[in-house]
Amino acid sequence: MKTIKIKTGLLVLLILMAWINTLIAQGDTPSEIPPERIYSYQERELEYLMTIWPGEYDNVEQMDFDGYLKKDTPKKGKHVRSHSFARRLDLPAFGNYVIYIEEYENDNPDIITKQCIYELFADEEANAIRVKVHHFKKPIPKLSAMDNLLFLKDIKPNSALLKKGCDMLMERDGMSFRGKTENTNCINSSSNSQLSIDYQIMVGENEYWFNEIKYNKVTGNRLPDQEQSTWSKLEKARCFVCMIDFPNKENGRPTITKYYIPIHDQGGKFEFDYDDGRHMVLGMRNTWSLGMQRETFVIFIQEGSQKGKTLIYSWGNPGADRIGFNPGWIRVQCDLDTPENRKLQYGLRPGS
């Protein structure tokens, strides 16, 4: 019996030594295995926020409903058409959680109204997510111009390109996160030095809201509702790549691809000239159908401008990853923008 116990003990010892040798060969020893990190509540919230925020947003749907409600002037509550980009960046100089923001208005990507870097971290003392804001002194279109962000690779918080903005505190509000300026006296209105502004945002899984709450800087009192603006609601866009084919008048295949273009489903557009000289606009929307009382995914071509005659109209289910039409005189195929779909499209029309 003793012999069996001794042999069993030796076997266990040999297995343990083999395991230790394996760890050493891999560069680890039992004492070097890091303990599991324990995240605080705000750190977990921050991790989640960073997964849902990045994307492209537009309030074209809100603008439509303004029209239905006859909100045709700012005094009547008409919103400004706004488009926003949010991109997560790897910029160690700003910490582990960094968001780049770029926004433009009135469907004009050449005029940037907001360009900044958000530095986020869990503020345990404030029991919130703190956002340190770094504005660009001279905003220039980058993502709006379909350019990359390589110019940011060496940027630091003390860069001459940046100026410090007002800190925001973000915390959970239902299924969204709400951010408010920490100090309402931090931002002064450029048009009225007597005003201060509490800039507020809401970030959800598929939407982004922003608003400016105005205060009397002298008294600290909030201005009456009739002097306030209402929230701008931007919906997250899905990005597509499209191929636009014209009839091929020469020998060979029946069509030839004239354009490979990116477009998004929250009011994205692409302008082009047809072979006969007519100017046309390809549009894409994930919109609310008043007739069917449901969301509908549509693409269409209008003549001249987005206010012109609709020449073609096609629709599908919201969430569809492909849509198109082929009336004979033009062919359009749009696929969700992925590396696989881009490769597929180029493979469908080799040499075009």
Side-chain angles (χ1 to χ4, degrees):
M1 196 67 168
K2 286 186 177 181
T3 303
I4 294 176
K5 288 183 177 179
I6 292 172
K7 288 183 177 180
T8 302
L10 288 172
L11 180 60
V12 172
L13 180 60
L14 289 172
I15 293 173
L16 181 60
M17 292 179 65
W19 176 65
I20 293 173
N21 288 334
T22 301
L23 291 176
I24 292 173
Q26 294 175 347
D28 290 324
T29 65
S31 62
E32 293 175 340
I33 298 175
E36 181 181 359
R37 180 180 174 185
I38 300 176
Y39 285 81
S40 69
Y41 173 78
Q42 293 301 336
E43 287 175 330
R44 291 187 182 278
E45 291 288 78
L46 178 53
E47 290 280 353
Y48 177 60
L49 176 61
M50 295 299 290
T51 66
I52 66 172
W53 195 344
E56 194 169 341
Y57 300 82
D58 200 287
N59 72 333
V60 64
E61 290 301 302
Q62 185 179 45
M63 300 294 293
D64 269 5
F65 282 99
D66 282 354
Y68 300 144
L69 297 173
K70 302 187 184 305
K71 296 180 179 180
D72 49 8
T73 66
K75 286 188 176 181
K76 292 182 179 181
K78 180 181 180 181
H79 294 86
V80 175
R81 173 79 183 272
S82 299
H83 195 90
S84 176
F85 297 88
R87 179 77 58 84
R88 183 170 184 176
L89 299 180
D90 182 15
L91 293 176
F94 291 84
N96 296 322
Y97 303 97
V98 185
I99 293 282
Y100 170 85
I101 298 292
E102 183 174 320
E103 296 177 1
Y104 61 83
E105 293 181 349
N106 296 320
D107 205 23
N108 187 347
D110 294 328
I111 301 176
I112 304 302
T113 55
K114 187 180 185 69
Q115 185 182 31
C116 55
I117 294 174
Y118 286 168
E119 175 186 349
L120 298 88
F121 62 91
D123 188 331
E124 305 299 344
E125 184 176 345
N127 196 31
I129 297 169
R130 182 173 293 275
V131 182
K132 289 187 175 295
V133 182
H134 306 270
H135 293 283
F136 284 82
K137 295 177 181 177
K138 295 182 179 180
I140 55 173
K142 299 301 289 185
L143 296 182
S144 305
M146 291 186 288
D147 200 353
N148 58 55
L149 299 178
L150 292 178
F151 79 107
L152 295 175
K153 64 184 180 66
D154 297 320
I155 199 165
K156 301 286 192 302
N158 60 355
S159 168
L161 297 175
L162 303 174
K163 62 180 179 181
K164 190 178 185 308
C166 304
D167 281 12
M168 288 190 294
L169 292 178
M170 298 188 71
E171 57 186 18
R172 175 78 73 158
D173 188 344
M175 296 301 292
S176 303
F177 291 86
R178 182 166 183 161
K180 304 177 183 179
T181 304
E182 185 178 32
N183 177 5
T184 56
N185 287 322
C186 180
I187 303 176
N188 294 325
S189 169
S190 59
S191 61
N192 189 339
S193 61
Q194 298 300 308
L195 294 182
S196 63
I197 296 175
D198 176 11
Y199 184 70
Q200 300 193 5
I201 61 175
M202 289 275 285
V203 180
E205 189 171 1
N206 293 301
E207 57 191 28
Y208 166 65
W209 302 50
F210 66 83
N211 195 12
E212 293 183 342
I213 312 297
K214 302 179 183 68
Y215 292 82
N216 183 304
K217 187 177 180 182
V218 178
T219 65
N221 295 328
R222 181 182 182 276
L223 268 59
D225 287 349
Q226 60 268 27
E227 298 184 47
Q228 302 286 351
S229 58
T230 57
W231 286 83
S232 293
K233 180 187 177 184
L234 288 68
E235 297 187 38
K236 182 173 284 186
R238 294 189 305 148
C239 297
F240 286 76
V241 284
C242 301
M243 48 198 299
I244 304 177
D245 299 349
F246 289 4
N248 187 10
K249 299 176 183 178
E250 301 177 356
N251 294 329
R253 58 185 184 276
T255 59
I256 182 169
T257 302
K258 290 290 185 75
Y259 303 102
Y260 290 102
I261 60 112
I263 195 170
H264 63 83
D265 69 349
Q266 293 297 325
K269 67 177 182 179
F270 174 71
E271 301 189 32
F272 63 96
D273 292 323
Y274 194 65
D275 282 345
D276 60 9
R278 286 182 295 168
H279 190 70
M280 298 182 180
V281 182
L282 171 68
M284 178 179 283
R285 295 279 296 274
N286 192 63
T287 188
W288 180 256
S289 171
L290 292 174
M292 294 186 287
Q293 294 294 297
R294 65 185 183 190
E295 280 192 315
T296 306
F297 180 32
V298 299
I299 60 170
F300 45 89
I301 288 182
Q302 294 169 282
E303 186 172 8
S305 71
Q306 288 187 304
K307 295 182 179 180
K309 177 183 177 182
T310 299
L311 303 177
I312 308 174
Y313 183 90
S314 176
W315 68 90
N317 288 328
D321 61 3
R322 179 173 297 171
I323 194 169
F325 46 65
N326 185 3
W329 57 272
I330 193 170
R331 177 186 181 276
V332 175
Q333 175 180 320
C334 298
D335 297 279
L336 198 64
D337 190 356
T338 66
E340 294 78 11
N341 283 339
R342 283 176 174 259
K343 182 179 179 181
L344 172 65
Q345 285 193 5
Y346 280 96
L348 289 174
R349 294 291 183 270
S352 62

